[in-house]
Amino acid sequence: MYEFTSPFQQPSGSPIRELFKYLSEPGMISFAGGYPASDLFDVEGLRLAAERAYASAVQCLQYGPTDGLATLKRQIVDLMERRGASCEADEVVATTGSQQGLDLLLRVLVEPGDVVLTEEPAYPATLQAFRLQRARIVAVPTDAHGIRVDELAALLESGACGRPKLLYTVPTFANPTGATLAAERRRALLALAVKYRFVVIEDDPYGDLRFAGAPLRSLLAEAEQVDGARNWVVHFASLSKIVAPGLRVGWMVGPREIMRRCVIAKQTVDLCSSPWTQAVAAEYLAAGALEQHLPKITAAYGVKCRELCSALREQLGAAIEFQQPEGGMFVWARLPGIDASDLLARAIEQKVIFVPGKAFYADAADGAALRLSFAAPDVEAIREGARRMKQAYDAVR
Amino acid sequence: MYEFTSPFQQPSGSPIRELFKYLSEPGMISFAGGYPASDLFDVEGLRLAAERAYASAVQCLQYGPTDGLATLKRQIVDLMERRGASCEADEVVATTGSQQGLDLLLRVLVEPGDVVLTEEPAYPATLQAFRLQRARIVAVPTDAHGIRVDELAALLESGACGRPKLLYTVPTFANPTGATLAAERRRALLALAVKYRFVVIEDDPYGDLRFAGAPLRSLLAEAEQVDGARNWVVHFASLSKIVAPGLRVGWMVGPREIMRRCVIAKQTVDLCSSPWTQAVAAEYLAAGALEQHLPKITAAYGVKCRELCSALREQLGAAIEFQQPEGGMFVWARLPGIDASDLLARAIEQKVIFVPGKAFYADAADGAALRLSFAAPDVEAIREGARRMKQAYDAVR
């Protein structure tokens, strides 16, 4: 009856959201979601921030600037400074989660048919955003130390992918792999961006969630050390995983010329993100509440991660392969010889869910891979979930 | 240095936002903005709603459903019922202001090069959204009773615009004209949509702001009386003009097949609008606060509108032509023989601003037209603003 545009003729929703229907089943244990732990939200700290924000009620209730409330942008500049990356307010655009930043950036940079590079496996919503923009996706493989910059260099050198417009990566505690890009690869990646003139999108929602190992400088911070590289990095950040997703407060930091165009696109897309939740975020950050509360989240995630890894080893032994992450929310595992979609069907019978790896690939997938999130379930549920994974594994083998 | 997509190579921001820089000048009186009056916000009612919403803190802070919080959607269904249009929850998608609804709808319906129809003059952000989607814009003229449905019928009959994908209209208290589409034209428009199979976008942010005359049924409500018409109407609504824009709570009501695709697009665009402000909106509506507070806003706008109209007549007499609106926020005026852009330059010297009419046209504009908003300034400022308009007029004549 209707004539939909080509990406929507046979629309497919998020493969992860498809699993949500199982969450309401009694007794279901979920390793599937990308949600942060609800019981770790700083409910009282945010209540106080909201009270202070509403003292300027008109600022909360009226339209705000398209690029974000000035008070929030000041806090973001300070936070980025503490994270080792200097920037100024006009290099920052506040967005409705960092997801919106990606959408805006693709609109101003990517014409249909343009080549975009992505690490693989990769965050499914990014792959979907590329498809909606009708980009040609070229995947670059990753290993335990993040994106294979040597393979990227060979690809670019060969000219096989033309001049790509951009490259997408989550260099710190990647989704889904949990891997972190090694420091020398960071510099090499930036040098390639300068040489081949493509934008590196550094998606960094998890960087603060480190519970082991030593911190690394972000690509944005590292770019100050690589000649010309700041012209080619757009950094996405968000309060969703470190404060609360319900604020829908994310931001991007990038070259002024690109940011200015993203703001013009945002005027048409939604005029502005909610100044009310932006004001709450600004008050929360100004009070130092992030630094005060964050250690509670990272400590809890560290415990959960170790628990999941040891329970998986205990239950599945040599049958399962994975690398224990140093932060973030995800364990990326392989069960050689097993198809993860078959495993999921049996797992659902055992009342445990996870995300089969194929959701994270643009084309040919590693069928034996799966993503397990340890953020939301408690330690008891993690142990029981691992036992059920073993039962599902035995059933499918 | 960068290769931007075609709509962003020579980007132009909102012509109305361009005027914002003058707002900070001391003593400036603005008839330019589309902002509701800040001093009419129900600050206390919204504070109480926010308190009640935060009693379910986790619902406010966690990710929410992409199509909107169930509690909000229930309130929206009830509100639409009170407005005379029955719908069910799965025909409703909550959006970040109704602006986002338009963006989502264009993405699922409009391919580059597709014909889209719009009333003219029209809301500039809609024209801009059409341009970003690379649609071919065909304008349909309007008069004191809204879009000229007879001219639309002739246009469609002639085949000159092929099969248009959709038609955009603000049928009640239009932006910028303040005009309201006559009842018989509403039914005729719906019949054309069914016959020629295009989607009618009914943008209805101002419908509740009636301070004179008798209410008319919305196109959505009227569609129940026209065979097949409900399949071709997508209705946009928003709390921005009747409660507060800072909530960024809007919604659309439309055919399930279209809404489902808009939800899939929204997964990629921002995952969800803030569940926190959605929860506040739901509590506010559930308490009956909208119905209690709205009469204060419409009464105040009625006074301001009458004041502006009589002050303009007093100052400019026969030199100015306009139709006094029965609701909304805008007076659309003409000063025959005057170029409104020249007038604006002189007006800025006199410390008063308005929006020259050309911002509201896709192509050839009525240079003598201008839009004056009476919502934000107080009665004193309206009178003084009209005096300054007269001085600017004398200077430019």
Side-chain angles (χ1 to χ4, degrees), chain A residues 175-218:
Chain A
N175 179 4
T177 68
T180 290
L181 190 66
E184 61 280 11
R185 289 196 193 177
R186 290 180 186 230
R187 284 185 294 272
L189 174 60
L190 292 168
L192 287 175
V194 173
K195 180 174 175 186
Y196 292 97
R197 303 167 67 79
F198 60 84
V199 170
V200 174
I201 300 178
E202 175 178 47
D203 194 0
D204 189 29
Y206 311 111
D208 275 357
L209 298 177
R210 180 177 285 280
F211 42 73
L216 281 174
R217 289 160 60 81
S218 67

mmCIF file of all heavy atoms in Angstrom, chain A residues 175-218:
data_model
loop_
_atom_site.group_PDB
_atom_site.id
_atom_site.type_symbol
_atom_site.label_atom_id
_atom_site.label_comp_id
_atom_site.label_asym_id
_atom_site.label_seq_id
_atom_site.Cartn_x
_atom_site.Cartn_y
_atom_site.Cartn_z
ATOM 1 N N ASN A 175 32.699 -2.780 22.035
ATOM 2 C CA ASN A 175 31.455 -3.521 21.938
ATOM 3 C C ASN A 175 31.456 -4.146 20.554
ATOM 4 O O ASN A 175 31.492 -3.425 19.567
ATOM 5 C CB ASN A 175 30.280 -2.550 22.090
ATOM 6 C CG ASN A 175 28.940 -3.243 21.982
ATOM 7 O OD1 ASN A 175 28.852 -4.460 21.866
ATOM 8 N ND2 ASN A 175 27.874 -2.449 22.003
ATOM 9 N N PRO A 176 31.502 -5.469 20.427
ATOM 10 C CA PRO A 176 31.252 -6.495 21.448
ATOM 11 C C PRO A 176 32.498 -7.128 22.064
ATOM 12 O O PRO A 176 32.351 -7.912 22.990
ATOM 13 C CB PRO A 176 30.525 -7.566 20.637
ATOM 14 C CG PRO A 176 31.214 -7.525 19.306
ATOM 15 C CD PRO A 176 31.542 -6.081 19.076
ATOM 16 N N THR A 177 33.691 -6.844 21.586
ATOM 17 C CA THR A 177 34.818 -7.727 21.951
ATOM 18 C C THR A 177 35.431 -7.440 23.307
ATOM 19 O O THR A 177 36.189 -8.267 23.818
ATOM 20 C CB THR A 177 35.949 -7.646 20.900
ATOM 21 O OG1 THR A 177 36.536 -6.344 20.960
ATOM 22 C CG2 THR A 177 35.432 -7.929 19.507
ATOM 23 N N GLY A 178 35.191 -6.271 23.885
ATOM 24 C CA GLY A 178 35.845 -5.917 25.133
ATOM 25 C C GLY A 178 37.311 -5.543 24.956
ATOM 26 O O GLY A 178 37.970 -5.145 25.921
ATOM 27 N N ALA A 179 37.818 -5.668 23.739
ATOM 28 C CA ALA A 179 39.249 -5.423 23.487
ATOM 29 C C ALA A 179 39.580 -3.940 23.538
ATOM 30 O O ALA A 179 38.717 -3.078 23.312
ATOM 31 C CB ALA A 179 39.639 -5.992 22.124
ATOM 32 N N THR A 180 40.852 -3.648 23.828
ATOM 33 C CA THR A 180 41.340 -2.277 23.860
ATOM 34 C C THR A 180 42.494 -2.130 22.878
ATOM 35 O O THR A 180 43.403 -2.957 22.844
ATOM 36 C CB THR A 180 41.778 -1.910 25.294
ATOM 37 O OG1 THR A 180 40.594 -1.816 26.102
ATOM 38 C CG2 THR A 180 42.502 -0.577 25.345
ATOM 39 N N LEU A 181 42.417 -1.079 22.079
ATOM 40 C CA LEU A 181 43.419 -0.844 21.044
ATOM 41 C C LEU A 181 44.756 -0.479 21.689
ATOM 42 O O LEU A 181 44.816 0.434 22.526
ATOM 43 C CB LEU A 181 42.943 0.294 20.136
ATOM 44 C CG LEU A 181 43.726 0.554 18.855
ATOM 45 C CD1 LEU A 181 43.613 -0.620 17.885
ATOM 46 C CD2 LEU A 181 43.229 1.839 18.179
ATOM 47 N N ALA A 182 45.796 -1.173 21.302
ATOM 48 C CA ALA A 182 47.129 -0.934 21.855
ATOM 49 C C ALA A 182 47.615 0.470 21.497
ATOM 50 O O ALA A 182 47.245 1.020 20.457
ATOM 51 C CB ALA A 182 48.097 -1.982 21.317
ATOM 52 N N ALA A 183 48.473 1.031 22.379
ATOM 53 C CA ALA A 183 48.901 2.423 22.221
ATOM 54 C C ALA A 183 49.590 2.665 20.882
ATOM 55 O O ALA A 183 49.315 3.669 20.202
ATOM 56 C CB ALA A 183 49.825 2.806 23.380
ATOM 57 N N GLU A 184 50.475 1.748 20.484
ATOM 58 C CA GLU A 184 51.210 1.981 19.222
ATOM 59 C C GLU A 184 50.265 1.911 18.023
ATOM 60 O O GLU A 184 50.423 2.621 17.036
ATOM 61 C CB GLU A 184 52.410 1.027 19.075
ATOM 62 C CG GLU A 184 52.102 -0.452 19.040
ATOM 63 C CD GLU A 184 51.858 -1.070 20.429
ATOM 64 O OE1 GLU A 184 51.730 -0.303 21.413
ATOM 65 O OE2 GLU A 184 51.773 -2.322 20.519
ATOM 66 N N ARG A 185 49.226 1.068 18.150
ATOM 67 C CA ARG A 185 48.238 1.029 17.067
ATOM 68 C C ARG A 185 47.449 2.331 17.000
ATOM 69 O O ARG A 185 47.013 2.751 15.928
ATOM 70 C CB ARG A 185 47.268 -0.144 17.277
ATOM 71 C CG ARG A 185 47.895 -1.500 17.041
ATOM 72 C CD ARG A 185 46.829 -2.558 16.886
ATOM 73 N NE ARG A 185 47.384 -3.894 16.954
ATOM 74 C CZ ARG A 185 46.671 -5.007 16.898
ATOM 75 N NH1 ARG A 185 45.350 -4.941 16.795
ATOM 76 N NH2 ARG A 185 47.247 -6.190 16.966
ATOM 77 N N ARG A 186 47.225 2.952 18.159
ATOM 78 C CA ARG A 186 46.486 4.218 18.160
ATOM 79 C C ARG A 186 47.218 5.260 17.327
ATOM 80 O O ARG A 186 46.624 5.927 16.476
ATOM 81 C CB ARG A 186 46.302 4.729 19.598
ATOM 82 C CG ARG A 186 45.336 3.862 20.371
ATOM 83 C CD ARG A 186 45.083 4.278 21.812
ATOM 84 N NE ARG A 186 44.240 3.235 22.399
ATOM 85 C CZ ARG A 186 43.118 3.445 23.074
ATOM 86 N NH1 ARG A 186 42.709 4.653 23.337
ATOM 87 N NH2 ARG A 186 42.406 2.424 23.521
ATOM 88 N N ARG A 187 48.514 5.383 17.578
ATOM 89 C CA ARG A 187 49.280 6.382 16.826
ATOM 90 C C ARG A 187 49.327 6.033 15.340
ATOM 91 O O ARG A 187 49.195 6.893 14.473
ATOM 92 C CB ARG A 187 50.686 6.515 17.415
ATOM 93 C CG ARG A 187 50.703 7.309 18.727
ATOM 94 C CD ARG A 187 52.100 7.543 19.246
ATOM 95 N NE ARG A 187 52.755 6.298 19.646
ATOM 96 C CZ ARG A 187 52.662 5.747 20.864
ATOM 97 N NH1 ARG A 187 51.944 6.341 21.808
ATOM 98 N NH2 ARG A 187 53.291 4.623 21.133
ATOM 99 N N ALA A 188 49.478 4.733 15.052
ATOM 100 C CA ALA A 188 49.550 4.312 13.642
ATOM 101 C C ALA A 188 48.217 4.571 12.928
ATOM 102 O O ALA A 188 48.185 5.001 11.767
ATOM 103 C CB ALA A 188 49.920 2.831 13.563
ATOM 104 N N LEU A 189 47.120 4.339 13.632
ATOM 105 C CA LEU A 189 45.798 4.598 13.046
ATOM 106 C C LEU A 189 45.636 6.080 12.726
ATOM 107 O O LEU A 189 45.157 6.459 11.646
ATOM 108 C CB LEU A 189 44.707 4.130 14.018
ATOM 109 C CG LEU A 189 43.263 4.446 13.627
ATOM 110 C CD1 LEU A 189 42.902 3.811 12.288
ATOM 111 C CD2 LEU A 189 42.288 3.958 14.703
ATOM 112 N N LEU A 190 46.043 6.934 13.652
ATOM 113 C CA LEU A 190 45.923 8.380 13.434
ATOM 114 C C LEU A 190 46.782 8.823 12.247
ATOM 115 O O LEU A 190 46.352 9.656 11.437
ATOM 116 C CB LEU A 190 46.325 9.134 14.708
ATOM 117 C CG LEU A 190 45.348 8.943 15.874
ATOM 118 C CD1 LEU A 190 45.958 9.460 17.184
ATOM 119 C CD2 LEU A 190 44.026 9.656 15.595
ATOM 120 N N ALA A 191 47.966 8.242 12.138
ATOM 121 C CA ALA A 191 48.840 8.599 11.009
ATOM 122 C C ALA A 191 48.182 8.204 9.678
ATOM 123 O O ALA A 191 48.262 8.947 8.688
ATOM 124 C CB ALA A 191 50.199 7.926 11.163
ATOM 125 N N LEU A 192 47.517 7.058 9.673
ATOM 126 C CA LEU A 192 46.808 6.635 8.454
ATOM 127 C C LEU A 192 45.662 7.600 8.119
ATOM 128 O O LEU A 192 45.426 7.923 6.954
ATOM 129 C CB LEU A 192 46.255 5.217 8.616
ATOM 130 C CG LEU A 192 47.277 4.084 8.585
ATOM 131 C CD1 LEU A 192 46.592 2.742 8.890
ATOM 132 C CD2 LEU A 192 47.995 4.019 7.233
ATOM 133 N N ALA A 193 44.957 8.036 9.156
ATOM 134 C CA ALA A 193 43.839 8.975 8.925
ATOM 135 C C ALA A 193 44.343 10.262 8.282
ATOM 136 O O ALA A 193 43.720 10.785 7.350
ATOM 137 C CB ALA A 193 43.123 9.269 10.246
ATOM 138 N N VAL A 194 45.480 10.753 8.774
ATOM 139 C CA VAL A 194 46.051 11.982 8.207
ATOM 140 C C VAL A 194 46.488 11.734 6.771
ATOM 141 O O VAL A 194 46.203 12.520 5.865
ATOM 142 C CB VAL A 194 47.243 12.469 9.068
ATOM 143 C CG1 VAL A 194 47.943 13.658 8.390
ATOM 144 C CG2 VAL A 194 46.774 12.840 10.460
ATOM 145 N N LYS A 195 47.168 10.588 6.558
ATOM 146 C CA LYS A 195 47.710 10.301 5.229
ATOM 147 C C LYS A 195 46.597 10.109 4.187
ATOM 148 O O LYS A 195 46.669 10.644 3.088
ATOM 149 C CB LYS A 195 48.569 9.037 5.304
ATOM 150 C CG LYS A 195 49.195 8.638 3.964
ATOM 151 C CD LYS A 195 50.148 7.463 4.118
ATOM 152 C CE LYS A 195 50.667 7.016 2.746
ATOM 153 N NZ LYS A 195 51.476 5.788 2.843
ATOM 154 N N TYR A 196 45.560 9.350 4.582
ATOM 155 C CA TYR A 196 44.507 9.026 3.608
ATOM 156 C C TYR A 196 43.271 9.914 3.751
ATOM 157 O O TYR A 196 42.278 9.707 3.060
ATOM 158 C CB TYR A 196 44.138 7.543 3.698
ATOM 159 C CG TYR A 196 45.252 6.632 3.217
ATOM 160 C CD1 TYR A 196 46.134 6.037 4.113
ATOM 161 C CD2 TYR A 196 45.431 6.396 1.849
ATOM 162 C CE1 TYR A 196 47.175 5.217 3.673
ATOM 163 C CE2 TYR A 196 46.458 5.578 1.401
ATOM 164 C CZ TYR A 196 47.325 4.991 2.316
ATOM 165 O OH TYR A 196 48.342 4.194 1.862
ATOM 166 N N ARG A 197 43.333 10.883 4.696
ATOM 167 C CA ARG A 197 42.299 11.919 4.809
ATOM 168 C C ARG A 197 40.910 11.329 5.035
ATOM 169 O O ARG A 197 39.956 11.651 4.323
ATOM 170 C CB ARG A 197 42.320 12.814 3.556
ATOM 171 C CG ARG A 197 43.692 13.461 3.327
ATOM 172 C CD ARG A 197 43.821 14.081 1.948
ATOM 173 N NE ARG A 197 42.932 15.229 1.783
ATOM 174 C CZ ARG A 197 43.175 16.438 2.257
ATOM 175 N NH1 ARG A 197 44.267 16.674 2.946
ATOM 176 N NH2 ARG A 197 42.323 17.407 2.058
ATOM 177 N N PHE A 198 40.795 10.465 6.041
ATOM 178 C CA PHE A 198 39.463 10.014 6.451
ATOM 179 C C PHE A 198 39.250 10.363 7.916
ATOM 180 O O PHE A 198 40.206 10.519 8.680
ATOM 181 C CB PHE A 198 39.262 8.517 6.194
ATOM 182 C CG PHE A 198 40.223 7.604 6.902
ATOM 183 C CD1 PHE A 198 39.999 7.204 8.222
ATOM 184 C CD2 PHE A 198 41.364 7.124 6.256
ATOM 185 C CE1 PHE A 198 40.882 6.357 8.879
ATOM 186 C CE2 PHE A 198 42.253 6.272 6.906
ATOM 187 C CZ PHE A 198 42.006 5.892 8.222
ATOM 188 N N VAL A 199 37.981 10.508 8.286
ATOM 189 C CA VAL A 199 37.624 10.838 9.669
ATOM 190 C C VAL A 199 37.631 9.561 10.505
ATOM 191 O O VAL A 199 37.023 8.558 10.116
ATOM 192 C CB VAL A 199 36.232 11.512 9.730
ATOM 193 C CG1 VAL A 199 35.739 11.635 11.164
ATOM 194 C CG2 VAL A 199 36.277 12.882 9.056
ATOM 195 N N VAL A 200 38.326 9.587 11.633
ATOM 196 C CA VAL A 200 38.258 8.484 12.585
ATOM 197 C C VAL A 200 37.184 8.815 13.611
ATOM 198 O O VAL A 200 37.274 9.833 14.297
ATOM 199 C CB VAL A 200 39.596 8.275 13.312
ATOM 200 C CG1 VAL A 200 39.448 7.212 14.403
ATOM 201 C CG2 VAL A 200 40.683 7.869 12.331
ATOM 202 N N ILE A 201 36.169 7.967 13.676
ATOM 203 C CA ILE A 201 35.157 8.127 14.718
ATOM 204 C C ILE A 201 35.592 7.279 15.899
ATOM 205 O O ILE A 201 35.629 6.046 15.811
ATOM 206 C CB ILE A 201 33.773 7.653 14.245
ATOM 207 C CG1 ILE A 201 33.329 8.455 13.023
ATOM 208 C CG2 ILE A 201 32.765 7.770 15.379
ATOM 209 C CD1 ILE A 201 31.987 7.995 12.470
ATOM 210 N N GLU A 202 35.940 7.958 16.998
ATOM 211 C CA GLU A 202 36.280 7.257 18.230
ATOM 212 C C GLU A 202 35.037 7.238 19.114
ATOM 213 O O GLU A 202 34.665 8.263 19.686
ATOM 214 C CB GLU A 202 37.422 7.975 18.964
ATOM 215 C CG GLU A 202 37.717 7.340 20.321
ATOM 216 C CD GLU A 202 38.875 7.989 21.056
ATOM 217 O OE1 GLU A 202 38.930 9.225 21.144
ATOM 218 O OE2 GLU A 202 39.738 7.228 21.552
ATOM 219 N N ASP A 203 34.406 6.092 19.210
ATOM 220 C CA ASP A 203 33.222 5.964 20.059
ATOM 221 C C ASP A 203 33.701 5.490 21.431
ATOM 222 O O ASP A 203 34.286 4.406 21.548
ATOM 223 C CB ASP A 203 32.252 4.962 19.422
ATOM 224 C CG ASP A 203 30.867 5.019 20.035
ATOM 225 O OD1 ASP A 203 30.642 5.837 20.949
ATOM 226 O OD2 ASP A 203 29.999 4.231 19.613
ATOM 227 N N ASP A 204 33.480 6.321 22.443
ATOM 228 C CA ASP A 204 34.103 6.047 23.747
ATOM 229 C C ASP A 204 33.099 6.078 24.898
ATOM 230 O O ASP A 204 33.239 6.855 25.840
ATOM 231 C CB ASP A 204 35.228 7.069 23.997
ATOM 232 C CG ASP A 204 36.054 6.720 25.231
ATOM 233 O OD1 ASP A 204 36.161 5.524 25.568
ATOM 234 O OD2 ASP A 204 36.590 7.644 25.868
ATOM 235 N N PRO A 205 32.090 5.217 24.871
ATOM 236 C CA PRO A 205 31.133 5.231 25.987
ATOM 237 C C PRO A 205 31.636 4.494 27.227
ATOM 238 O O PRO A 205 31.115 4.710 28.314
ATOM 239 C CB PRO A 205 29.905 4.514 25.412
ATOM 240 C CG PRO A 205 30.448 3.615 24.356
ATOM 241 C CD PRO A 205 31.668 4.301 23.792
ATOM 242 N N TYR A 206 32.627 3.622 27.046
ATOM 243 C CA TYR A 206 33.025 2.716 28.132
ATOM 244 C C TYR A 206 34.369 3.060 28.770
ATOM 245 O O TYR A 206 34.776 2.422 29.728
ATOM 246 C CB TYR A 206 33.109 1.268 27.609
ATOM 247 C CG TYR A 206 31.919 0.816 26.814
ATOM 248 C CD1 TYR A 206 32.008 0.586 25.439
ATOM 249 C CD2 TYR A 206 30.676 0.637 27.425
ATOM 250 C CE1 TYR A 206 30.915 0.179 24.700
ATOM 251 C CE2 TYR A 206 29.576 0.235 26.686
ATOM 252 C CZ TYR A 206 29.700 0.010 25.322
ATOM 253 O OH TYR A 206 28.612 -0.389 24.592
ATOM 254 N N GLY A 207 35.107 4.023 28.199
ATOM 255 C CA GLY A 207 36.497 4.288 28.613
ATOM 256 C C GLY A 207 36.679 4.465 30.118
ATOM 257 O O GLY A 207 37.704 4.067 30.678
ATOM 258 N N ASP A 208 35.666 5.075 30.781
ATOM 259 C CA ASP A 208 35.780 5.294 32.232
ATOM 260 C C ASP A 208 35.537 4.019 33.033
ATOM 261 O O ASP A 208 35.779 4.006 34.244
ATOM 262 C CB ASP A 208 34.753 6.340 32.690
ATOM 263 C CG ASP A 208 35.259 7.770 32.532
ATOM 264 O OD1 ASP A 208 36.425 7.939 32.117
ATOM 265 O OD2 ASP A 208 34.485 8.698 32.817
ATOM 266 N N LEU A 209 35.058 2.963 32.396
ATOM 267 C CA LEU A 209 34.682 1.744 33.139
ATOM 268 C C LEU A 209 35.863 0.774 33.222
ATOM 269 O O LEU A 209 35.725 -0.418 32.968
ATOM 270 C CB LEU A 209 33.481 1.066 32.467
ATOM 271 C CG LEU A 209 32.181 1.877 32.415
ATOM 272 C CD1 LEU A 209 31.097 1.118 31.647
ATOM 273 C CD2 LEU A 209 31.677 2.190 33.832
ATOM 274 N N ARG A 210 37.028 1.276 33.621
ATOM 275 C CA ARG A 210 38.220 0.429 33.727
ATOM 276 C C ARG A 210 38.332 -0.141 35.138
ATOM 277 O O ARG A 210 38.337 0.592 36.113
ATOM 278 C CB ARG A 210 39.476 1.218 33.389
ATOM 279 C CG ARG A 210 40.766 0.398 33.486
ATOM 280 C CD ARG A 210 41.995 1.187 33.082
ATOM 281 N NE ARG A 210 42.111 1.381 31.638
ATOM 282 C CZ ARG A 210 42.574 0.466 30.789
ATOM 283 N NH1 ARG A 210 42.960 -0.723 31.237
ATOM 284 N NH2 ARG A 210 42.666 0.735 29.499
ATOM 285 N N PHE A 211 38.417 -1.482 35.226
ATOM 286 C CA PHE A 211 38.574 -2.114 36.547
ATOM 287 C C PHE A 211 39.866 -2.912 36.649
ATOM 288 O O PHE A 211 40.124 -3.554 37.672
ATOM 289 C CB PHE A 211 37.353 -2.978 36.908
ATOM 290 C CG PHE A 211 36.805 -3.818 35.766
ATOM 291 C CD1 PHE A 211 37.487 -4.938 35.324
ATOM 292 C CD2 PHE A 211 35.601 -3.481 35.160
ATOM 293 C CE1 PHE A 211 36.974 -5.713 34.292
ATOM 294 C CE2 PHE A 211 35.084 -4.255 34.110
ATOM 295 C CZ PHE A 211 35.775 -5.377 33.680
ATOM 296 N N ALA A 212 40.685 -2.899 35.604
ATOM 297 C CA ALA A 212 41.993 -3.582 35.668
ATOM 298 C C ALA A 212 42.905 -2.937 34.634
ATOM 299 O O ALA A 212 42.443 -2.290 33.685
ATOM 300 C CB ALA A 212 41.827 -5.077 35.364
ATOM 301 N N GLY A 213 44.204 -3.086 34.831
ATOM 302 C CA GLY A 213 45.178 -2.572 33.862
ATOM 303 C C GLY A 213 45.332 -1.065 33.942
ATOM 304 O O GLY A 213 44.657 -0.386 34.716
ATOM 305 N N ALA A 214 46.242 -0.554 33.119
ATOM 306 C CA ALA A 214 46.572 0.870 33.157
ATOM 307 C C ALA A 214 45.835 1.622 32.044
ATOM 308 O O ALA A 214 45.696 1.115 30.936
ATOM 309 C CB ALA A 214 48.078 1.053 32.982
ATOM 310 N N PRO A 215 45.371 2.858 32.341
ATOM 311 C CA PRO A 215 44.648 3.640 31.330
ATOM 312 C C PRO A 215 45.512 3.976 30.116
ATOM 313 O O PRO A 215 46.733 4.100 30.227
ATOM 314 C CB PRO A 215 44.279 4.924 32.065
ATOM 315 C CG PRO A 215 44.541 4.699 33.495
ATOM 316 C CD PRO A 215 45.492 3.563 33.621
ATOM 317 N N LEU A 216 44.866 4.115 28.993
ATOM 318 C CA LEU A 216 45.511 4.554 27.751
ATOM 319 C C LEU A 216 44.910 5.890 27.353
ATOM 320 O O LEU A 216 43.757 6.170 27.657
ATOM 321 C CB LEU A 216 45.228 3.549 26.631
ATOM 322 C CG LEU A 216 46.037 2.271 26.611
ATOM 323 C CD1 LEU A 216 45.512 1.346 25.524
ATOM 324 C CD2 LEU A 216 47.506 2.591 26.355
ATOM 325 N N ARG A 217 45.694 6.691 26.627
ATOM 326 C CA ARG A 217 45.145 7.956 26.122
ATOM 327 C C ARG A 217 44.143 7.668 24.994
ATOM 328 O O ARG A 217 44.358 6.780 24.172
ATOM 329 C CB ARG A 217 46.276 8.833 25.594
ATOM 330 C CG ARG A 217 47.170 9.408 26.706
ATOM 331 C CD ARG A 217 48.524 9.850 26.178
ATOM 332 N NE ARG A 217 48.425 10.888 25.171
ATOM 333 C CZ ARG A 217 48.257 12.187 25.445
ATOM 334 N NH1 ARG A 217 48.145 12.584 26.702
ATOM 335 N NH2 ARG A 217 48.190 13.076 24.486
ATOM 336 N N SER A 218 43.059 8.433 24.995
ATOM 337 C CA SER A 218 42.076 8.276 23.925
ATOM 338 C C SER A 218 42.697 8.683 22.594
ATOM 339 O O SER A 218 43.740 9.357 22.560
ATOM 340 C CB SER A 218 40.851 9.143 24.206
ATOM 341 O OG SER A 218 41.212 10.510 24.114
#
